[in-house]
Amino acid sequence: MRPLILNIAMSLDGFIARTDGSYDWIEGHGTKVYDTALQFDNNAFFASCDTIVMGRKSLDDCPIEQIQDYQKKSFYVASHQDLKSDYPNLSFSKDIVATLKELKQEEGGPIWLFGGADLVHSVLEVDLIDQYIIGIIPIILGQGRPLFKTCSVEHQLQLIESTVTDGIAMLRYQKRP
């Protein structure tokens, strides 16, 4: 079964974007003094994923052309509307949970759950996320789009890796066995 991996950045106070959807604040603090010897390799992670799932607002905020090697990946976008794509590798889904369940059964590499918050919440509610990679950005935004909303199901996780790069803590969790 293919793993579904949430890889996302959030502020120290739990926001993934400003209220207007912008994410210009995603940056380190400018020093390598506290970097760990082990480093999370975002480029290797991105290269390993052949499928990316995102919400429609995330697609508006981050067009697929901005994603490394987007031509070689399949994109599925959650949308309540019947939308068409100009890209042969981009599909819209009205039932993203059903789509994800099918994708997880297919052959292929990891599935990257890109965001946004509404999509993450709907997938979290049905316990489809296998791994969480959360980059904690050294900023407190005070307001914005929260990553986690109230969840009706408890999810116990196990920390499997932690690294620091330029003040950004990268925490990788998986479901507890």
Side-chain angles (χ1 to χ4, degrees):
M1 183 181 279
R2 299 168 69 185
L4 177 62
I5 303 172
L6 172 64
N7 183 343
I8 200 162
M10 76 175 190
S11 65
L12 187 59
D13 53 346
F15 297 107
I16 60 171
R18 295 186 191 279
T19 52
D20 66 0
S22 65
Y23 49 89
D24 59 320
W25 51 271
I26 298 177
E27 62 184 11
H29 58 50
T31 180
K32 298 184 181 306
V33 173
Y34 299 105
D35 285 7
T36 56
L38 177 65
Q39 293 288 294
F40 181 76
D41 189 342
N42 265 315
N43 289 333
F45 169 76
F46 297 151
S48 75
C49 297
D50 58 9
T51 305
I52 300 172
V53 176
M54 63 175 58
R56 196 208 34 82
K57 290 178 193 171
S58 293
L59 178 63
D60 291 345
D61 295 339
C62 180
I64 68 170
E65 302 89 10
Q66 293 181 8
I67 296 175
Q68 172 185 327
D69 294 328
Y70 75 92
Q71 307 93 330
K72 300 176 185 174
K73 301 186 183 300
S74 297
F75 291 82
Y76 293 85
V77 179
S79 176
H80 298 295
Q81 302 170 7
D82 283 322
L83 299 172
K84 302 291 183 211
S85 170
D86 294 333
Y87 299 95
N89 59 334
L90 189 149
S91 303
F92 292 92
S93 173
K94 283 187 168 183
D95 187 352
I96 199 68
V97 169
T99 299
L100 276 169
K101 287 179 179 178
E102 290 174 15
L103 289 170
K104 287 181 68 141
Q105 298 302 320
E106 294 175 359
E107 295 288 322
I111 304 165
W112 175 20
L113 182 59
F114 181 84
D118 291 339
L119 174 61
V120 170
H121 179 73
S122 64
V123 174
L124 190 62
E125 281 291 311
V126 293
D127 198 27
L128 288 179
I129 302 173
D130 300 295
Q131 197 173 112
Y132 302 76
I133 302 171
I134 312 289
I136 309 296
I137 309 301
I139 189 170
I140 296 173
L141 291 176
Q143 60 182 345
R145 297 181 183 172
L147 175 55
F148 297 113
K149 299 178 180 183
T150 302
C151 191
S152 62
V153 180
E154 182 177 294
H155 299 272
Q156 295 188 352
L157 306 174
Q158 173 182 359
L159 181 67
I160 57 173
E161 184 179 85
S162 62
T163 63
V164 177
T165 305
D166 194 22
I168 300 171
M170 293 296 292
L171 306 174
R172 186 156 40 155
Y173 296 92
Q174 67 185 13
K175 291 180 185 180
R176 268 194 226 169

